[in-house]
Amino acid sequence: MIATNSVKRLLLLLCLVFFVSGCGYHNSESEPNTLSEKFHEVAISEVTNPTLERWLEPRLRGDLRDEITRRGQLVWVEKSKAEALISLKIISFSNNSRVLGNNDETLKYNSILKVQMKVTDAADGHIIWNSGTVEVTESYYEDEEDTTQDLVVELMIRRLVDRMNQAY
C-alpha cells in the first residue's frame, strides 16, 4: 500500500512537471531582450512626475532597477557610461470612488497608474523602444490604500519590463 501511494505521488509530480513545461512557463531570465547586445549597459536618465505623489518617482525608479536586475538581462551603469538610457514618464496617478453604497458613501476605490517608458540610444538619442501609455488599475477597500498603491507600482513595472522583452 505504501508503494502504491509513492508511485501515485511520483506520477502526479511527473504530470505536474510535464504540464508546467508544456504550458509555456519559463524562467524570465531566458526571455529574449528586444534591446540588442549593443545596448546591454543601461541607466535611468529621468523620471517625469507631474503628480503630487512625491513617493511615486523613487518607488518607480527603485522597482525598475530591481526588476531588471532580478531578470538578469541588462547591466546597470552610471549614466555617463550607459549605452542606452531609460526614461519614465508618469502620465497620471489617481485614487477614486468605484462603488457607492445606498447613502452615497464609497465602498470600494480604484487606484489607476498610467506610465510611459522609453529607451534611447545614449550616443545619438534616437528611440530604441517605446512602451506607449501603459495603464494598471486595482480595486481596493478603504483600509487598503497603501498596500494597493504598492501593488499598482509593482504591477506597472512588471508590465513595462514584460513589454520591453516582447518583440513588438
Side-chain angles (χ1 to χ4, degrees):
M1 176 147 321
I2 293 174
T4 57
N5 284 340
S6 296
V7 170
K8 287 180 182 177
R9 287 183 182 161
L10 181 60
L11 285 174
L12 182 62
L13 179 63
L14 285 173
C15 288
L16 180 64
V17 168
F18 289 128
F19 173 74
V20 168
S21 63
C23 74
Y25 175 81
H26 59 279
N27 185 346
S28 63
E29 189 171 334
S30 66
E31 183 75 25
N33 188 334
T34 58
L35 304 179
S36 71
E37 284 299 315
K38 177 183 172 189
F39 303 109
H40 187 67
E41 295 181 338
V42 299
I44 297 174
S45 62
E46 68 177 333
V47 178
T48 307
N49 182 7
T51 73
L52 297 175
E53 306 292 337
R54 296 296 142 218
W55 62 271
L56 198 50
E57 176 186 345
R59 179 67 197 273
L60 282 169
R61 192 180 287 267
D63 282 7
L64 179 63
R65 287 183 63 92
D66 291 347
E67 185 68 20
I68 288 176
T69 299
R70 186 175 17 260
R71 294 184 189 207
Q73 299 166 326
L74 301 173
V75 176
W76 292 105
V77 297
E78 295 176 28
K79 197 186 302 188
S80 61
K81 297 177 183 176
E83 299 160 339
L85 298 172
I86 297 173
S87 64
L88 292 168
K89 180 180 180 185
I90 301 165
I91 307 298
S92 65
F93 179 75
S94 63
N95 291 303
N96 54 37
S97 301
R98 178 170 173 233
V99 177
L100 298 176
N102 292 337
N103 299 325
D104 281 338
E105 77 275 9
T106 301
L107 302 176
K108 202 166 191 180
Y109 299 85
N110 269 347
S111 185
I112 304 167
L113 176 61
K114 294 180 185 180
V115 173
Q116 179 183 27
M117 184 168 108
K118 290 183 184 178
V119 181
T120 57
D121 186 330
D124 63 12
H126 81 273
I127 296 175
I128 301 166
W129 179 80
N130 183 353
S131 69
T133 300
V134 178
E135 180 178 322
V136 173
T137 304
E138 280 296 316
S139 298
Y140 64 95
Y141 295 103
E142 189 172 349
D143 296 333
E144 300 170 345
E145 183 174 2
D146 292 340
T147 305
T148 304
Q149 288 177 350
D150 288 343
L151 177 62
V152 166
V153 171
E154 183 180 325
L155 293 173
M156 174 58 73
I157 293 300
R158 281 189 200 162
R159 190 168 294 166
L160 287 169
V161 175
D162 285 347
R163 271 197 185 188
M164 187 174 67
N165 289 332
Q166 295 172 354
Y168 276 111

